[in-house]
């Protein structure tokens, strides 16, 4: 009967199927869920695409493993669509158990909540009718209620699974924001700052030594120049006659005496001038070598500061961009999860009220009125579905003030060189602009052939 009924689905009319509904209803009441599983496997074996043939169940894509569940939903929904007016209670329950069996956490979507509210309303009406004695539960209704109970259990389990996934999503958004702090390599940036300060101190010390060597050079060379330009010749040289009268003994004696004085003077003068010359030249060479050394240290300092400038400005820029992106992402995650959280709580409350009504049907006739009254005033605690949201962590202090000025900038030159005590006597070489701040020259257009 089941096989013939499903084989009739391609028929565009409902007449063929509804003609077999009494047999289908009887078979449905008689079959357990286990039997339906076997039947679903059988239908799959003979090649019937049950999933595609169940439009009344409003199903999406189905896998082979869910074929039996799909069969159960399709039967319930199709049987409900062909029932007589007198079967209203069973029809309503079948419609709602189809919704329940196909339910899943809806992330706050209205459709899911409305479906549960309709199911809750149908159960309330049925419970009131049963408690008032105007209706008695049939075996089919009891099986349907059992299906609703099982569907609710699956939905609650899925709700908590979804809750855990949402909490994990919120935690991941927090962790992603924290990664911005980890990516800001303060250790490397501070290392560059220390290197820059060390190079600055070495250069400054060198220039101070250059100043001292210049003073020594100037002193020694002044002494040499003074001695060379103020030689203090013997007085006799002023009247020295290079052609004396050889017959004049006094003239010849005076010549020899003067020559002796000149010889002593010249020897001493040559010795002292040579020594002073060597001191002057030696001090000049030391000064020149120091200039070259200081120029190299200056270039090293400027390169180190440029590296510090690039590291700090680049690091802070990346950090600010990362923080902006991750905080915006965290806000979006929180907004979406808050909607889902509210939807889950609404569904959970509805499921708890449905469960309460289902227990009314399980109670004895004397207990049913009290239990029904309790369902009307039940308070559902949804705190287990609360999401723990994380406030954004405070941003790290990442300021580019230490590198607001940089090599070759007028303020930087004044601070680093021109205001130093050594600058006037030990001026710096030409400054080297930071490579990362220079604009590459445009490539010239090719010359036409």
């Amino acid at each position: 009967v089941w096989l013939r009924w499903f084989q009739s689905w391609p028929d565009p009319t409902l007449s063929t199927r509804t003609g077999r509904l009494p047999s289908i209803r009887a078979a449905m009441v008689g079959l357990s869920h286990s039997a339906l599983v076997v039947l679903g496997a059988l239908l799959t074996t003979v090649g019937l695409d049950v999933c595609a043939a169940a439009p009344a169940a409003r199903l999406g894509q189905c896998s082979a493993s869910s074929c039996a569940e799909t069969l159960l939903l399709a039967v319930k929904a199709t049987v409900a669509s062909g029932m007589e007016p007198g079967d209203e209670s069973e029809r309503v329950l079948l419609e709602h158990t189809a919704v329940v069996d196909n339910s899943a956490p809806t992330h706050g979507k209205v459709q899911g909540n409305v479906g549960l509210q309709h199911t809750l309303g149908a159960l309330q009406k049925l419970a009131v009718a049963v408690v008032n004695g105007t209706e008695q539960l049939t075996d089919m209704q009891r099986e349907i209620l059992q299906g609703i109970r099982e569907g609710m259990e699956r939905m609650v389990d899925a709700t908590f699974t979804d809750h855990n996934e949402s909490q994990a999503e919120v935690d991941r958004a927090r962790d992603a924001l924290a990664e911005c702090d980890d990516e800001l390599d303060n250790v490397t940036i501070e290392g560059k700052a220390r290197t820059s300060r060390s190079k600055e101190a070495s250069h400054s010390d060198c220039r101070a030594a250059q100043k001292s060597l210049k003073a020594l050079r100037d002193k020694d060379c002044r002494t040499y120049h003074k001695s060379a330009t103020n030689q203090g010749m013997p007085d006799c040289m002023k009247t020295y006659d290079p052609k004396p009268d050889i017959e004049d003994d006094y003239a010849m004696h005076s010549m020899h005496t003067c020559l002796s004085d000149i010889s002593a003077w010249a020897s001493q003068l040559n010795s002292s001038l040579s020594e002073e010359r060597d001191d002057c030249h030696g001090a000049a060479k030391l000064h020149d070598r120091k200039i070259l050394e200081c120029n190299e240290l200056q270039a090293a300092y400027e390169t180190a500061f440029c590296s510090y400038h690039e590291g700090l400005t680049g690091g802070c820029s990346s950090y600010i961009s990362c923080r902006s992106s991750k905080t915006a992402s965290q806000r979006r995650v929180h907004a979406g999860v808050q909607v889902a959280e509210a939807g889950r709580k609404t569904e959970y409350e509805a499921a708890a009220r449905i469960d309460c009504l289902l227990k009314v049907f399980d109670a004895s006739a004397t207990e049913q009125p009290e239990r029904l009254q309790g369902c009307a005033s039940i308070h559902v605690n949804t705190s287990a579905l609360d999401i723990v949201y994380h406030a954004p962590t405070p941003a790290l202090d990442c300021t580019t003030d230490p590198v607001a000025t940089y090599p070759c900038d007028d303020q930087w030159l004044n601070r680093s060189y021109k205001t130093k005590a050594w600058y006037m006597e030990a001026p710096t070489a030409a400054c080297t602009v930071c490579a990362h701040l220079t604009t590459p020259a445009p490539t010239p257009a090719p010359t036409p052939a």
Side-chain angles (χ1 to χ4, degrees):
V1 172
W2 282 81
L3 287 173
R4 287 197 303 273
W5 185 64
F6 275 101
Q7 288 169 346
S8 70
W9 271 2
D11 187 348
T13 67
L14 192 63
S15 59
T16 304
R17 284 172 285 175
T18 54
R20 297 193 179 98
L21 279 177
S23 299
I24 297 302
R25 291 179 60 193
M28 180 177 172
V29 173
L31 286 178
S32 65
H33 187 271
S34 299
L36 289 177
V37 172
V38 175
L39 181 58
L42 174 62
L43 290 174
T44 303
T45 302
V46 299
L48 292 175
D49 188 355
V50 178
C51 293
R58 298 179 294 172
L59 295 173
Q61 296 297 322
C62 298
S63 63
S65 62
S66 64
C67 185
E69 292 295 331
T70 302
L71 173 61
L72 179 60
L73 301 184
V75 170
K76 290 178 181 179
T78 307
V79 171
S81 67
M83 285 185 172
E84 297 298 327
D87 298 325
E88 180 65 19
S89 296
E90 292 182 7
R91 186 190 67 79
V92 171
L93 286 178
L94 279 169
E95 288 179 349
H96 291 299
T97 192
V99 173
V100 170
D101 282 339
N102 197 35
S103 66
T106 60
H107 299 277
K109 292 181 180 179
V110 174
Q111 182 177 355
N113 291 335
V114 170
L116 286 175
Q117 293 301 323
H118 286 177
T119 302
L120 178 60
L123 288 176
Q124 286 174 334
K125 290 180 180 179
L126 180 59
V128 170
V130 169
V131 171
N132 291 340
T134 59
E135 187 167 348
Q136 296 293 323
L137 290 180
T138 67
D139 290 341
M140 183 177 186
Q141 286 174 329
R142 291 187 183 280
E143 184 174 341
I144 294 171
L145 292 176
Q146 179 60 28
I148 293 176
R149 178 180 288 105
E150 293 172 357
M152 286 293 96
E153 291 173 354
R154 289 193 296 272
M155 191 203 74
V156 169
D157 290 342
T159 295
F160 278 98
T161 298
D162 195 53
H163 162 78
N164 293 334
E165 292 175 354
S166 289
Q167 183 64 66
E169 185 179 7
V170 169
D171 294 344
R172 284 194 296 270
R174 173 203 59 193
D175 297 341
L177 180 58
E179 288 175 0
C180 294
D181 294 352
D182 298 335
E183 292 172 2
L184 178 61
D185 193 353
N186 279 323
V187 174
T188 299
I189 293 175
E190 182 54 34
K192 292 178 181 291
R194 285 195 301 269
T195 299
S196 176
R197 290 192 293 268
S198 175
K199 298 293 185 183
E200 179 184 20
S202 297
H203 171 253
S204 188
D205 291 344
C206 185
R207 293 300 184 189
Q210 177 185 334
K211 175 184 176 182
S212 298
L213 288 176
K214 179 180 181 297
L216 178 62
R217 181 205 67 178
D218 292 348
K219 179 179 74 66
D220 288 347
C221 290
R222 278 196 303 267
T223 299
Y224 170 56
H225 295 157
K226 182 179 180 181
S227 298
T229 58
N230 187 20
Q231 297 181 7
M233 297 181 296
D235 292 339
C236 68
M237 288 185 66
K238 298 175 182 179
T239 59
Y240 178 75
D241 184 4
K243 296 179 178 182
D245 184 358
I246 57 174
E247 299 297 331
D248 187 346
D249 292 337
Y250 178 77
M252 294 299 291
H253 176 74
S254 296
M255 179 194 70
H256 284 287
T257 301
C258 186
L259 287 175
S260 178
D261 291 344
I262 291 173
S263 176
W265 165 78
S267 176
Q268 182 180 0
L269 177 62
N270 182 58
S271 176
S272 63
L273 283 179
S274 296
E275 183 179 349
E276 289 174 356
R277 179 199 59 194
D278 291 344
D279 289 344
C280 173
H281 290 176
K285 288 181 180 179
L286 288 176
H287 179 250
D288 290 343
R289 284 198 292 268
K290 184 58 70 173
I291 290 176
L292 294 177
E293 178 188 350
C294 293
N295 287 349
E296 291 178 356
L297 290 174
Q298 175 187 337
Y301 167 46
E302 290 168 357
T303 299
F305 195 96
C306 287
S307 177
Y308 175 38
H309 179 279
E310 184 177 21
L312 184 57
T313 56
C316 287
S317 176
S318 297
Y319 177 66
I320 292 171
S321 177
C322 182
R323 287 276 307 184
S324 176
S325 172
K326 299 302 184 183
T327 51
S329 177
Q330 187 184 45
R331 285 194 296 269
R332 289 193 297 270
V333 168
H334 284 190
V337 169
Q338 284 169 351
V339 173
E341 179 186 15
R344 281 191 295 269
K345 288 184 177 182
T346 301
E347 291 181 351
Y348 183 75
E349 290 179 5
R353 297 182 188 281
I354 289 173
D355 181 67
C356 184
L357 290 172
L358 291 174
K359 290 178 180 178
V360 172
F361 301 121
D362 295 336
S364 64
T366 57
E367 295 175 332
Q368 284 180 341
E370 182 179 355
R371 289 203 176 187
L372 180 61
Q373 183 63 34
C375 292
S377 59
I378 185 175
H379 171 71
V380 181
N381 184 359
T382 61
S383 60
L385 295 173
D386 288 347
I387 294 291
V388 178
Y389 297 95
H390 313 290
T393 55
L396 298 177
D397 183 18
C398 192
T399 175
T400 59
D401 289 349
V403 295
T405 61
Y406 40 85
C408 306
D409 175 80
D410 287 340
Q411 293 183 12
W412 189 89
L413 291 174
N414 285 331
R415 179 185 63 80
S416 300
Y417 299 152
K418 295 181 179 180
T419 56
K420 302 298 184 181
W422 45 259
Y423 182 76
M424 294 302 296
E425 299 299 326
T428 54
C431 179
T432 303
V433 179
C434 294
H436 68 283
L437 296 176
T438 58
T439 303
T443 303
T447 304

